[in-house]
Coordinates of all heavy atoms in Angstrom, one line a residue:
A42 N -6.6 -0.4 -14.7 CA -7.3 0.3 -15.8 C -6.7 1.6 -16.1 O -6.2 2.3 -15.1 CB -8.8 0.4 -15.4
F43 N -6.7 2.0 -17.3 CA -6.2 3.3 -17.7 C -7.3 3.9 -18.5 O -7.9 3.3 -19.5 CB -4.9 3.2 -18.6 CG -4.4 4.5 -19.1 CD1 -3.7 5.3 -18.2 CD2 -4.7 4.9 -20.4 CE1 -3.2 6.5 -18.7 CE2 -4.2 6.1 -20.8 CZ -3.5 7.0 -20.0
I44 N -7.6 5.2 -18.2 CA -8.7 5.9 -18.9 C -8.1 7.2 -19.5 O -7.5 8.0 -18.8 CB -9.8 6.3 -17.9 CG1 -10.4 5.1 -17.2 CG2 -10.9 7.1 -18.6 CD1 -11.3 5.4 -16.1
D45 N -8.2 7.3 -20.8 CA -7.7 8.5 -21.6 C -8.6 9.7 -21.2 O -9.8 9.6 -21.3 CB -7.8 8.2 -23.1 CG -7.3 9.3 -23.9 OD1 -7.0 10.4 -23.4 OD2 -7.3 9.2 -25.2
C46 N -8.0 10.8 -20.8 CA -8.8 11.9 -20.3 C -9.6 12.6 -21.5 O -10.6 13.2 -21.2 CB -7.9 13.0 -19.7 SG -7.3 12.5 -18.1
K47 N -9.1 12.5 -22.7 CA -9.8 13.2 -23.8 C -10.9 12.4 -24.4 O -12.0 12.9 -24.6 CB -8.8 13.6 -24.9 CG -7.8 14.6 -24.5 CD -6.9 15.0 -25.7 CE -5.9 16.0 -25.3 NZ -5.0 16.4 -26.3
T48 N -10.7 11.1 -24.6 CA -11.7 10.3 -25.3 C -12.5 9.4 -24.3 O -13.5 8.8 -24.7 CB -11.1 9.4 -26.3 OG1 -10.2 8.5 -25.7 CG2 -10.3 10.2 -27.4
L49 N -12.0 9.3 -23.1 CA -12.6 8.4 -22.1 C -12.5 6.9 -22.5 O -13.2 6.1 -22.0 CB -14.0 8.7 -21.7 CG -14.2 10.1 -21.1 CD1 -15.7 10.4 -20.8 CD2 -13.4 10.3 -19.9
E50 N -11.6 6.6 -23.5 CA -11.3 5.2 -23.9 C -10.6 4.5 -22.7 O -9.7 5.1 -22.1 CB -10.4 5.2 -25.1 CG -10.1 3.9 -25.6 CD -9.1 3.9 -26.8 OE1 -8.9 5.0 -27.3 OE2 -8.6 2.8 -27.1
R51 N -11.1 3.3 -22.4 CA -10.5 2.5 -21.3 C -9.8 1.3 -21.8 O -10.3 0.6 -22.7 CB -11.6 2.1 -20.3 CG -12.2 3.3 -19.6 CD -13.5 2.9 -18.9 NE -14.5 3.0 -20.0 CZ -15.8 2.9 -19.8 NH1 -16.2 2.7 -18.6 NH2 -16.6 3.1 -20.8
T52 N -8.7 1.0 -21.1 CA -8.0 -0.3 -21.4 C -7.7 -0.9 -20.0 O -7.6 -0.2 -19.0 CB -6.6 0.0 -22.1 OG1 -5.9 1.0 -21.4 CG2 -6.8 0.5 -23.5
Y53 N -7.7 -2.2 -20.0 CA -7.6 -3.0 -18.8 C -6.5 -4.0 -18.8 O -6.2 -4.6 -19.9 CB -8.9 -3.7 -18.5 CG -10.1 -2.9 -18.4 CD1 -10.9 -2.6 -19.4 CD2 -10.5 -2.3 -17.1 CE1 -12.1 -1.8 -19.3 CE2 -11.6 -1.5 -17.0 CZ -12.4 -1.3 -18.1 OH -13.5 -0.5 -17.9
K54 N -6.0 -4.4 -17.6 CA -5.2 -5.5 -17.4 C -5.6 -6.2 -16.2 O -5.8 -5.6 -15.1 CB -3.7 -5.1 -17.3 CG -2.7 -6.1 -16.8 CD -2.2 -7.0 -17.8 CE -1.1 -7.9 -17.2 NZ -1.3 -9.2 -17.5
F55 N -5.9 -7.5 -16.2 CA -6.4 -8.2 -15.1 C -5.3 -9.2 -14.5 O -4.7 -9.8 -15.3 CB -7.7 -9.1 -15.5 CG -8.8 -8.2 -16.0 CD1 -9.1 -8.1 -17.3 CD2 -9.6 -7.5 -15.1 CE1 -10.1 -7.3 -17.8 CE2 -10.7 -6.8 -15.5 CZ -10.9 -6.7 -16.9
D56 N -5.2 -9.2 -13.2 CA -4.3 -10.1 -12.6 C -5.0 -11.4 -12.2 O -5.8 -11.4 -11.2 CB -3.7 -9.4 -11.4 CG -2.5 -10.2 -10.8 OD1 -2.3 -11.4 -11.2 OD2 -1.9 -9.8 -9.8
V57 N -4.9 -12.4 -13.0 CA -5.6 -13.6 -12.7 C -5.2 -14.4 -11.5 O -5.9 -15.2 -11.0 CB -5.6 -14.6 -14.0 CG1 -6.3 -14.0 -15.2 CG2 -4.1 -14.9 -14.3
E58 N -4.0 -14.1 -11.0 CA -3.4 -14.7 -9.8 C -3.9 -14.1 -8.5 O -3.8 -14.7 -7.5 CB -1.9 -14.8 -9.9 CG -1.4 -15.6 -11.0 CD 0.1 -15.7 -11.1 OE1 0.8 -15.1 -10.2 OE2 0.6 -16.2 -12.1
A59 N -4.4 -12.9 -8.6 CA -4.9 -12.2 -7.4 C -6.2 -12.8 -6.9 O -7.1 -13.1 -7.7 CB -5.1 -10.7 -7.7
E60 N -6.2 -13.1 -5.6 CA -7.4 -13.8 -5.0 C -8.6 -12.9 -4.9 O -9.7 -13.3 -5.2 CB -7.0 -14.4 -3.7 CG -6.0 -15.5 -3.8 CD -5.6 -16.1 -2.5 OE1 -6.4 -15.9 -1.5 OE2 -4.6 -16.7 -2.4
K61 N -8.4 -11.7 -4.5 CA -9.5 -10.8 -4.3 C -9.0 -9.3 -4.4 O -7.8 -9.1 -4.2 CB -10.2 -11.0 -3.0 CG -9.4 -10.8 -1.8 CD -10.2 -11.1 -0.5 CE -9.3 -10.9 0.7 NZ -10.0 -11.1 1.9
P62 N -9.8 -8.4 -4.7 CA -9.4 -7.0 -4.8 C -8.9 -6.5 -3.4 O -9.3 -7.0 -2.4 CB -10.7 -6.2 -5.2 CG -11.6 -7.2 -5.8 CD -11.2 -8.5 -5.1
G63 N -8.0 -5.6 -3.5 CA -7.4 -5.0 -2.3 C -7.7 -3.5 -2.2 O -8.8 -3.0 -2.6
E64 N -6.7 -2.8 -1.7 CA -6.9 -1.3 -1.5 C -7.0 -0.7 -2.9 O -6.2 -1.0 -3.8 CB -5.7 -0.8 -0.8 CG -5.8 0.7 -0.5 CD -4.6 1.2 0.3 OE1 -3.8 0.4 0.8 OE2 -4.5 2.4 0.5
K65 N -7.9 0.3 -3.1 CA -8.0 1.0 -4.3 C -7.1 2.2 -4.4 O -6.9 2.9 -3.5 CB -9.5 1.4 -4.5 CG -10.4 0.2 -4.7 CD -11.8 0.7 -4.8 CE -12.8 -0.4 -5.1 NZ -12.9 -1.4 -4.1
H66 N -6.5 2.3 -5.6 CA -5.6 3.5 -5.9 C -6.1 4.2 -7.2 O -6.4 3.5 -8.2 CB -4.2 3.0 -6.1 CG -3.6 2.3 -4.9 ND1 -3.0 3.0 -3.9 CD2 -3.5 1.0 -4.6 CE1 -2.5 2.2 -3.0 NE2 -2.8 0.9 -3.4
I67 N -6.1 5.5 -7.2 CA -6.5 6.3 -8.4 C -5.4 7.3 -8.5 O -5.1 8.0 -7.6 CB -7.8 6.9 -8.2 CG1 -8.9 5.9 -8.1 CG2 -8.1 7.8 -9.5 CD1 -10.3 6.5 -7.7

Side-chain angles (χ1 to χ4, degrees):
F43 179 78
I44 303 168
D45 179 358
C46 285
K47 290 183 182 179
T48 65
L49 299 180
E50 178 183 350
R51 290 167 279 190
T52 52
Y53 298 93
K54 166 84 171 129
F55 300 100
D56 188 355
V57 293
E58 296 179 5
E60 294 181 17
K61 60 181 180 177
E64 183 179 352
K65 292 178 175 64
H66 299 274
I67 299 171

